[in-house]
Amino acid sequence: WQKREISNFDYLMYLNTLAGRSYNDYMQYPVFPWVLADYHSETLNLTNPQTFRDLSKPMGAQTEERKRKFIQRFNEVEKSEGDLSAQCHYCTHYSSAIIVASYLVRMEPFTQTFCSLQGGSFDVADRMFHSVKSTWESASRDNMSDVRELIPEFFYLPEFLTNANHFELGCMQDGTVLGDVQLPPWADGDPHKFILLHRQALESDYVSAHLHRWIDLIFGHKQNGSAAVEAVNTYHPYFYGDKVDLNNIKDPLIKSTILGFISNFGQIPKQV
């Protein structure tokens, strides 16, 4: 990868596989980074550093104000064993079954998966994945319970962005009927163009030069411990497989609560 003999996409898939992530498990689905921060320009300039997301920081630290709030949360919570309010920056995760299913909800079998995770129906329209720009703004700036990253399909599968099956996904509060995913202006409303440019962004010189910083956060030494605290990159202890020994938990109610928490909210990849 350092010699540019394999693509960034292939290297990320390789790391995901090493870390135990798989297309066969929604709870441990391959995780990919947001690479762009520009979802408003008419044309995409891949030579301008301002076009890109800061890959050295997790989604919770993309703006200074948001970063400060998460550090404050971390400092306010006292360390406590086996408690849902354990000391961490984030109580939600960047990859979970519901995040994966919400991204792919317009395609089967993910439609059925999403509905089953939601209790049998689609979510409230305003909370559904409907716009790349608004999802980026939510995950990087606006929503303190949203630090989601992306999935590999954002870089090769235009079909997941269209409602080809004509599912009735509901109507948003502003009257917008949910259909195809709203794309940035530079995609000209064309899912194929979006995927093409998004993949070019992933393989760009800027991302190639900075991708290792994101890898450190997700798969490497900044995943836990003091380096993670310093990087504003700590998650609830239940998300770390090695921090919870279910065999030692005798209370079936506590055990089922922890298992439910993990399955709903995500798991940290194995450190590679």
Side-chain angles (χ1 to χ4, degrees):
W1 174 66
Q2 287 177 313
K3 295 177 184 174
R4 300 286 184 98
E5 290 173 2
I6 62 170
S7 67
N8 291 337
F9 182 92
D10 288 339
Y11 185 51
L12 287 171
M13 283 305 300
Y14 175 68
L15 289 173
N16 270 286
T17 304
L18 278 183
R21 314 294 284 190
S22 166
Y23 282 120
N24 300 321
D25 185 350
Y26 293 138
M27 290 184 287
Q28 298 192 78
Y29 208 76
V31 56
F32 268 58
W34 289 94
V35 293
L36 293 172
D38 181 355
Y39 297 96
H40 54 268
S41 297
E42 293 294 329
T43 55
L44 196 59
N45 182 0
L46 296 180
T47 61
N48 181 2
Q50 299 300 316
T51 298
F52 297 92
R53 166 254 180 106
D54 187 341
L55 287 159
S56 69
K57 296 174 182 171
M59 289 303 291
Q62 289 296 308
T63 70
E64 280 303 314
E65 183 189 359
R66 186 168 154 96
K67 180 181 173 182
R68 269 198 311 275
K69 286 180 182 175
F70 281 120
I71 291 173
Q72 183 181 353
R73 173 193 281 175
F74 181 89
N75 292 333
E76 283 174 354
V77 179
E78 292 296 319
K79 286 189 174 70
S80 51
E81 283 298 315
D83 185 358
L84 290 176
S85 63
Q87 189 175 38
C88 60
H89 293 108
Y90 315 114
C91 296
T92 54
H93 199 252
Y94 50 77
S95 176
S96 66
I98 195 69
I99 289 171
V100 172
S102 69
Y103 280 145
L104 300 172
V105 69
R106 290 163 178 78
M107 295 173 59
E108 290 289 15
F110 304 99
T111 313
Q112 294 305 315
T113 302
F114 181 83
C115 288
S116 66
L117 289 169
Q118 279 293 125
S121 62
F122 292 121
D123 199 358
V124 176
D126 286 83
R127 288 204 300 259
M128 297 276 284
F129 172 52
H130 64 276
S131 158
V132 178
K133 177 175 180 280
S134 66
T135 302
W136 159 255
E137 289 172 349
S138 171
S140 68
R141 189 187 72 199
D142 297 340
N143 187 344
M144 289 291 283
S145 61
D146 182 3
V147 291
R148 80 186 91 172
E149 293 279 7
L150 299 182
I151 54 175
E153 284 81 353
F154 272 85
F155 300 95
Y156 69 83
L157 189 71
E159 287 78 12
F160 87 97
L161 297 164
T162 61
N163 187 20
N165 292 315
H166 305 294
F167 293 119
E168 292 185 10
L169 302 172
C171 190
M172 294 172 66
Q173 286 184 341
D174 64 3
T176 306
V177 177
L178 254 59
D180 297 346
V181 175
Q182 295 169 16
L183 302 175
W186 45 259
D188 296 327
D190 182 351
H192 290 83
K193 184 173 182 179
F194 172 83
I195 295 292
L196 176 70
L197 292 173
H198 205 217
R199 183 64 172 266
Q200 285 177 5
L202 177 65
E203 305 300 341
S204 67
D205 289 341
Y206 179 90
V207 172
S208 297
H210 294 85
L211 187 59
H212 64 285
R213 296 179 180 275
W214 182 83
I215 290 168
D216 286 343
L217 294 169
I218 308 299
F219 302 107
H221 75 287
K222 291 184 180 178
Q223 191 191 75
N224 56 43
S226 58
V229 174
E230 198 175 319
V232 195
N233 192 43
T234 66
Y235 298 81
H236 195 282
Y238 291 168
F239 297 153
Y240 298 86
D242 58 349
K243 290 188 182 177
V244 182
D245 187 357
L246 290 171
N247 295 324
N248 286 337
I249 297 173
K250 300 291 182 270
D251 188 324
L253 187 60
I254 293 175
K255 186 181 274 193
S256 68
T257 300
I258 293 172
L259 283 169
F261 194 87
I262 294 166
S263 64
N264 283 324
F265 293 107
Q267 289 170 274
I268 300 286
K270 286 178 191 154
Q271 194 171 28
V272 297

